[in-house]
Every structure is written in structure tokens, then in C-alpha cells.
Amino acid sequence: DFLNINFEIYKDANISLTVYDIFGTEIKSLINGFKIKGGYSYSWDLKDCNDKSISSGIYYFRIEMVTNFGLFKENEKFIYIK
């Protein structure tokens, strides 16, 4: 199983894309680095940082962007059912 995550960056920025469970525990860091502005798609294999498949539940993606204008954060909720 895979989940495609699409996002847009409006300014060149250092970004991180991280998955958390409903309790705020980090499940996996998917992206951490500099990206130029534009549209991106990331295909996640639904595995945690220990390479184990996640269980059914509620999860959040958090994207953080650091630009010369400051830090921007956005969260998106998703429900995974096996």
C-alpha cells in the first residue's frame, strides 16, 4: 500500500514533512531539506521509522517551511483503514 501526498511550495524553503499519530507521537519523517518553489508529490509506503506497516487509525501530516519570512506550519488529518 502507498499513499500519495501532494503539496505546493510557494517560495524556496527548507521543509519538513512528518507523520504523527493522534497522540502527537512522530511516526516517520518523510522529507527534511531544501526545496525550490513548485508542486511536489511524495509516495509514502505507510511504514513507520522502524519499517513496520502502520495500523488503522487517525494520523496527521505536518509540513513546516522555513523561509526568509519565518516559519509556516500546516497540518492535515487522514484516516487509515486496513
Side-chain angles (χ1 to χ4, degrees):
D1 291 338
F2 286 88
L3 178 66
N4 289 320
I5 306 161
N6 300 307
F7 58 96
E8 180 102 12
I9 299 174
Y10 297 102
K11 295 212 174 270
D12 298 355
N14 286 308
I15 71 157
S16 65
L17 177 62
T18 309
V19 180
Y20 296 89
D21 67 15
I22 194 167
F23 303 108
T25 304
E26 183 176 318
I27 300 300
K28 189 167 189 178
S29 176
L30 303 176
I31 299 173
N32 192 5
F34 184 79
K35 299 286 184 191
I36 59 172
K37 71 178 181 177
Y40 290 88
S41 181
Y42 184 89
S43 184
W44 177 37
D45 61 5
L46 298 169
K47 293 185 179 177
D48 65 15
C49 60
N50 295 315
D51 207 32
K52 294 182 180 179
S53 295
I54 63 170
S55 58
S56 296
I58 299 172
Y59 295 89
Y60 292 88
F61 291 111
R62 175 181 286 166
I63 187 163
E64 296 183 1
M65 295 178 274
V66 179
T67 70
N68 54 349
F69 296 109
L71 173 66
F72 300 92
K73 298 179 186 180
E74 185 174 333
N75 295 314
E76 287 288 328
K77 178 172 79 171
F78 74 99
I79 298 171
Y80 178 63
I81 300 171
K82 285 187 173 183

